[in-house]
Amino acid sequence: MNITDIRIRKTYHDARLKALVSVTIDGDLAVHDIKVIQGPERLFVAMPSRKDENGTFRDIAHPITSQARKALEGAILEAYDRYLEELDRQEEPPPPPEDEDAPEVL
C-alpha cells in the first residue's frame, strides 16, 4: 500500500472529532471521511462507517492487516500534525520591517 496523498478536509476545535481526512492510495483509490478523534489518552483514526439496520456501525473501508492500519494511522496523524503546525505558523505575526535608517545595534 502506497499512500500518495493525504488531505485534511475539515478541522474541528471544540469536540472529540478533530478532523475529516481523505486519503489516496497508489494514486488510484480515494477514501473519504476518515476521522481523527481525540481519545482519552491520544489521537486515533476512525475509518468511514455507516449504521446498519441493527444500529451497529460498520466500517465502509478499512485496512485488513494491523501493519497496514498502523501505517495508515501513522501517516494520517503525521499529516494532521504538520497541518496544525502550518496553521500556527500562519497565525504568527510577521516580523516588523527593518528600518534602513536606524543605527545598527550590536
Side-chain angles (χ1 to χ4, degrees):
M1 174 176 72
N2 182 26
I3 299 168
T4 52
D5 190 34
I6 298 175
R7 296 185 188 245
I8 309 300
R9 296 288 183 190
K10 187 169 184 176
T11 58
Y12 304 88
H13 300 288
D14 295 327
R16 284 187 59 221
L17 176 60
K18 296 300 179 185
L20 286 177
V21 178
S22 293
V23 174
T24 304
I25 299 168
D26 293 327
D28 293 323
L29 175 68
V31 180
H32 301 289
D33 295 333
I34 299 171
K35 299 169 193 79
V36 175
I37 298 175
Q38 179 64 58
E41 297 178 15
R42 66 176 186 91
L43 289 173
F44 68 93
V45 172
M47 297 304 292
S49 61
R50 66 181 167 99
K51 191 188 291 190
D52 67 13
E53 61 277 352
N54 298 326
T56 303
F57 284 92
R58 300 211 181 266
D59 286 349
I60 295 169
H62 60 88
I64 299 297
T65 66
S66 60
Q67 180 183 14
R69 179 174 294 278
K70 186 175 180 179
L72 183 62
E73 183 172 275
I76 290 170
L77 294 178
E78 183 178 310
Y80 178 67
D81 286 341
R82 281 194 316 266
Y83 178 85
L84 293 179
E85 288 171 5
E86 182 61 31
L87 282 180
D88 285 345
R89 274 195 292 274
Q90 290 175 4
E91 292 176 2
E92 291 177 8
E98 291 186 26
D99 185 0
E100 293 178 12
D101 297 330
E104 187 174 333
V105 178
L106 298 177

